[in-house]
Amino acid sequence: MGTRAIYTFEDATDERHIFVHYDGYPVGAAEYFRQWLDAGVSWTIPRFEADEAAAGFVSAIKTGPGNVRIAGARFTYSDVEFGYRVFMKGDALHIQCSTTDYWGEAPAEHVVFNGPMTEFLATAKTIQAEAFDAA
């Protein structure tokens, strides 16, 4: 499915943005996160650096030309339906999932999930249903 998303990897001093053209809804994002975490191409948590994690994410999910791109900013692309912020909270990986509304003067994000990555992976289907019901 061509649901586009932006994935922002954040640490205390940096953030990196990855645009993914396909499967950006929460169930698809959960699968991308599983691929990334299972691939072993980023530091083991709790070590987390935004640039290194973003590079590992791209390495784990890129399948061909055009489907994954590095974005200069969170709102570089105006047709992104979902946004994901990935960051550490204590010793645990966290995620914030938002829908994005581009109809106003500036993009507006509406948070539909904010919590541990493990919880997001376990409840992505419910998060997705609630996000689409709210739209």
Side-chain angles (χ1 to χ4, degrees), residues 3-133:
T3 304
R4 289 161 293 286
I6 194 84
Y7 297 78
T8 299
F9 293 80
E10 299 178 353
D11 62 30
T13 60
D14 196 12
E15 62 180 37
R16 300 300 166 117
H17 313 282
I18 307 299
F19 169 83
V20 181
H21 189 82
Y22 300 106
D23 298 331
Y25 47 88
V27 171
E31 182 56 33
Y32 287 142
F33 288 134
R34 281 187 193 96
Q35 285 177 246
W36 168 54
L37 294 169
D38 291 345
V41 292
S42 291
W43 294 118
T44 303
I45 302 303
R47 184 172 180 177
F48 181 85
E49 298 166 13
D51 58 346
E52 197 275 338
F57 183 75
V58 171
S59 173
I61 72 162
K62 188 163 176 65
T63 59
N67 69 319
V68 178
R69 299 168 184 254
I70 300 200
R74 184 136 176 103
F75 299 109
T76 296
Y77 298 93
S78 62
D79 57 351
V80 172
E81 188 162 355
F82 285 95
Y84 300 92
R85 293 181 185 273
V86 181
F87 57 97
M88 292 296 294
K89 192 169 187 180
D91 285 342
L93 198 56
H94 270 60
I95 183 162
Q96 182 182 77
C97 170
S98 304
T99 59
T100 308
D101 174 4
Y102 288 92
W103 293 104
E105 288 186 32
E109 291 185 294
H110 307 284
V111 176
V112 296
F113 176 84
N114 189 11
M117 175 70 80
T118 54
E119 185 180 338
F120 178 81
L121 296 176
T123 61
K125 191 172 187 177
T126 301
I127 295 165
Q128 181 172 314
E130 291 172 0
F132 281 118
D133 287 347

